[in-house]
Amino acid sequence: MKLLKSPNPTTKFLAFHFGGWLMFALVNAISRGLLTDENFEQLAAHTFTLISTCGFSTLVIREIIYRFNLLDKNWRQQWPIFILSSITLAFICAYSSLTLIFSYYNLAGYTAPSSFWDNVLGNWLLMTILMLSWTLIYITTVNQDRLLKAEQEAVQLNLQLNEAKMAALMGQLNPHFLFNGLNNIRALILEDTTKSRTMLTNLSDLLRYTLMAHKQKTVPLKDELEIVCQYIELLKIQYEDRLTFNLEVDSDLMGERIPPLLIQLLTENAVRHGIEKSRTGGELSVKIDSVEQHIVITVTNPGTLDITQDKTANIEDKKSGNTGLGLANIQKRLTLQYGEKTSFLIEQQGQQVIAQCHIPTSHLQLAV
C-alpha cells in the first residue's frame, strides 16, 4: 500500500522546487550580509537551513493537496485548508530552522542576535506568507498543466473520432464494384481466357488496394490512377464500346497525395448514374490539374441531374438523381480530413454532369 497520496515528484519538479528555494535563500543571504555583520559561514548556515526547512515543508503541503483531493474542490473548500496548513507548517518551519541556527551558533561559539522565541515569532508570519505563495504558484501550475493535458486529450479524441467516422464511411464505399467485376470475368472466361486472367489480376489488385485503403489517410496520386485504370478495364468488359475513358493529368502532380479511393469512387458514380443509364454510353473524362495550391479533380460524364435545389448545393441535400450515398460519403470524408481547405460540388453543364473537388497540395494538407 502506498503511504503517500501525492504522485512521485519528477526530476523537473524537484529541480524547479529546490532551485526556487535556493534562489530565495541566496537573495535572503545577500540581504542579511548587507544589513548585518554576519560572516560567510553564518550566511551559509542560514541559507542551508532555509532551503531544507522550507523545501520539505512545502512538500508536505503538496502531500496535503493530493491526500484531500483539493485540486478537484472549489476555492472555498481549498483555501481554509491551505491557510491552516500554511500557518501550522510555517510555525514548525520557523521553530525547526531557528533550532538548527541556534544550535549551530552555540556549537560554533557565536552569540545569538536575540532571544530564541523572538526569532521564532518574528519568522512565523514571513514563513506563512512564503507557504501561501508557494501553494498559489503550485496550484496555478498544476491547473495549467491539467488544462493543457485535457485539451490535448480532447484533440486526440477528436482525431480518433474522425478516423472512426472515416473508417465507417469507407466501409460503406468499398464493395460497390466487386460483384459486377466477378460476374463479368466469369462471362469472359469462355470467350478469352488470356484476357480473363488479366482482368482477374486487375480485380485482385483492386481488392488489395481497397482492403488496405482504410489504413492510410492519403496515397500517392500515381497509385490511385493505376487502380482507376484497372477499374476501367474491368468495366469495359461489361460496357464494351459504350464506355470511352479519357484521362488528363498534370505530370507534376503524380507525387501528390490524395485520399484513397477518391477518384475510383467518383468514376464509379459517373458510370453507374451516367454511362449505365445511357443507351449509347459516352465518354468518361477525368482531368487533374492544380489551381492556387490545390489539386483539382474533375470527373465528367454524360447524364442529367434530377435536382430541384440549386445545382451547386451541398451534396447531402441532393437525395435524387446521380447523387447517392457514394457522393455524400465522399464529401464527408473530405470535410473530416481537410475541413474548410477542401470543396466538392456536382453540377449540370449542358448534357454533361461534372463532379469536381479541390484538395490542398501536400505542403498545405493538415488533418483536422
Side-chain angles (χ1 to χ4, degrees):
M1 181 177 178
K2 186 179 178 181
L3 180 62
L4 299 178
K5 297 295 183 181
S6 58
N8 293 330
T10 63
T11 303
K12 180 180 178 180
F13 168 77
L14 292 176
F16 277 101
H17 177 70
F18 285 104
W21 282 117
L22 174 61
M23 292 179 62
F24 176 79
L26 289 175
V27 171
N28 181 70
I30 293 173
S31 300
R32 292 181 67 89
L34 295 174
L35 297 174
T36 66
D37 57 354
E38 293 178 342
N39 59 36
F40 177 79
E41 185 179 340
Q42 291 172 306
L43 294 175
H46 279 283
T47 300
F48 173 78
T49 303
L50 182 60
I51 294 173
S52 58
T53 54
C54 290
F56 286 102
S57 294
T58 44
L59 287 180
V60 175
I61 294 179
R62 179 174 179 266
E63 172 64 22
I64 292 172
I65 290 172
Y66 287 98
R67 184 167 291 274
F68 294 98
N69 296 318
L70 297 181
L71 291 172
D72 299 322
K73 300 182 185 298
N74 60 47
W75 67 272
R76 291 186 180 88
Q77 296 171 307
Q78 289 178 339
W79 281 98
I81 299 178
F82 290 156
I83 293 172
L84 180 61
S85 301
S86 297
I87 292 174
T88 304
L89 287 169
F91 178 81
I92 296 173
C93 187
Y95 180 85
S96 301
S97 60
L98 267 299
T99 299
L100 292 173
I101 290 295
F102 271 70
S103 298
Y104 162 74
Y105 272 45
N106 290 331
L107 291 174
Y110 296 115
T111 302
S114 58
S115 69
F116 175 79
W117 285 107
D118 287 341
N119 275 275
V120 170
L121 296 176
N123 282 276
W124 188 7
L125 177 60
L126 175 62
M127 293 292 187
T128 300
I129 295 173
L130 288 175
M131 299 293 174
L132 288 173
S133 299
W134 182 93
T135 302
L136 179 60
I137 294 172
Y138 182 77
I139 289 294
T140 302
T141 303
V142 172
N143 284 336
Q144 288 179 341
D145 289 342
R146 294 176 76 182
L147 180 60
L148 179 61
K149 184 178 180 181
E151 290 175 349
Q152 292 173 341
E153 289 176 350
V155 170
Q156 185 64 31
L157 183 61
N158 187 51
L159 289 175
Q160 292 174 351
L161 179 60
N162 285 348
E163 290 175 358
K165 288 180 179 178
M166 289 187 67
L169 291 173
M170 293 184 68
Q172 297 175 18
L173 299 170
N174 288 344
H176 283 173
F177 59 86
L178 299 183
F179 297 109
N180 284 339
L182 288 171
N183 288 332
N184 293 336
I185 292 173
R186 183 181 63 178
L188 185 65
I189 288 176
L190 297 177
E191 299 177 10
D192 189 337
T193 55
T194 301
K195 187 175 182 180
S196 63
R197 284 198 296 268
T198 301
M199 294 301 103
L200 193 60
T201 300
N202 288 345
L203 182 60
S204 175
D205 291 340
L206 275 166
L207 285 172
R208 185 181 300 108
Y209 185 83
T210 303
L211 292 173
M212 296 299 293
H214 73 281
K215 298 180 180 180
Q216 305 178 72
K217 289 185 177 180
T218 59
V219 295
L221 176 61
K222 179 181 178 182
D223 294 351
E224 177 78 4
L225 292 178
E226 287 178 358
I227 290 299
V228 169
C229 291
Q230 289 178 313
Y231 174 67
I232 294 297
E233 290 300 315
L234 283 169
L235 290 178
K236 284 184 177 180
I237 301 174
Q238 176 182 354
Y239 295 100
E240 297 179 336
D241 294 337
R242 292 175 59 212
L243 172 60
T244 304
F245 180 63
N246 180 46
L247 177 63
E248 297 180 39
V249 186
D250 184 345
S251 59
D252 293 337
L253 299 176
M254 284 298 191
E256 291 289 341
R257 301 186 71 86
I258 66 171
L261 296 175
L262 173 61
I263 302 176
Q264 189 273 324
L265 291 167
L266 287 172
T267 56
E268 179 185 347
N269 184 82
V271 171
R272 290 175 60 202
H273 299 286
I275 305 297
E276 185 176 303
K277 293 183 177 181
S278 173
R279 291 183 179 181
T280 58
E283 180 182 80
L284 170 61
S285 173
V286 176
K287 182 179 180 181
I288 304 171
D289 54 12
S290 61
V291 177
E292 297 180 351
Q293 298 183 329
H294 279 73
I295 305 167
V296 181
I297 301 171
T298 305
V299 178
T300 306
N301 63 274
T304 303
L305 286 176
D306 182 15
I307 302 172
T308 57
Q309 295 88 351
D310 182 78
K311 63 181 181 179
T312 60
N314 188 292
I315 296 299
E316 292 186 75
D317 295 331
K318 301 175 180 181
K319 301 301 183 181
S320 58
N322 63 344
T323 57
L325 177 67
L327 291 183
N329 282 358
I330 288 172
Q331 186 179 51
K332 290 177 182 177
R333 286 175 58 199
L334 290 174
T335 301
L336 282 171
Q337 191 156 352
Y338 302 115
E340 296 180 355
K341 295 182 176 67
T342 187
S343 64
F344 181 40
L345 60 86
I346 184 169
E347 60 182 353
Q348 185 82 46
Q349 289 188 5
Q351 299 300 312
Q352 293 183 320
V353 177
I354 299 177
Q356 188 175 82
C357 59
H358 292 238
I359 299 173
T361 52
S362 295
H363 70 283
L364 291 181
Q365 288 183 13
L366 182 64
V368 295

